[in-house]
Amino acid sequence: MFDKMKFWKNNISSSSLRERADKIQEGAVPSHVAIIMDGNGRWAKKRALPRVAGHHEGMKVVRKITRFANLLGINTLTLYAFSTENWKRPKLEVEYLMKLPEEFLGTFLPELIEENVQVRMIGDKNLLPKHTLNAIEKAMNETKDNDGLILNFAMNYGSRAEIINAVQNVLKDCKSGIIDETQLDDELFSKYLMTSELSDPDLLIRTSGEIRLSNFMLWQLAYSEFWFTDVLWPDFTEEHLTDAIEAFQSRQRRFGGV
């Protein structure tokens, strides 16, 4: 572990960032960070580039932020990669987005394995193209025994659909006698969600200046701390993640108490 930390810290570009990373680790590091990676298209438009160029640049940022989250000791990093509503985008853009997991995991997987990262996915697999699903499942299978950072991709994910599906399964189990309706509480209901094996996010980050959840983890974010930035996702850096975590550490989380 020491050698890994030394390696990553030697590759952080500035001494000030190394110092901030060290200080963060002395405090309460958020166990689960969720990110709505927004602004790829606008980043490309500002440079007179096609939207897919922004998505490609954003993919590079995923790699960089995953490395840094691993260094900081974050346990789970959930990335909103493709929503159930994103199918409405132009066909060529959707087709490109469906190729990104294959490209990203094809180049980054050996490093994820070496650094003890476990790949997971939440979302409806049914509509994903075979090549997209194959790339994700290959990464999940080859990292399943890793017990370090969980890199959790939300692909074809929509929170309302997730909650409706959970309610349907609860009703089915009540009807079959597996559970009694009087048993149902927050903890039991959470076990019917796609995130049943994960803790709820401590910190939600959204880039690009938008201040909304966009059908993302509506149940799980009930008591998360939110951090919004105008920075477009392709411009998001380790310094910005550090800003977000420092803001998180400065807040007092009461969970409804005093």
Side-chain angles (χ1 to χ4, degrees), residues 40 43-44 49-58 96:
N40 292 338
W43 182 92
L49 296 170
R51 288 176 59 85
V52 295
H55 295 308
H56 189 268
E57 197 66 25
Y96 184 81

Side-chain angles (χ1 to χ4, degrees), residues 17-28:
L17 180 57
R18 285 195 294 270
E19 291 171 3
R20 292 173 71 191
D22 287 337
K23 189 170 182 181
I24 279 175
Q25 289 171 302
E26 293 173 3

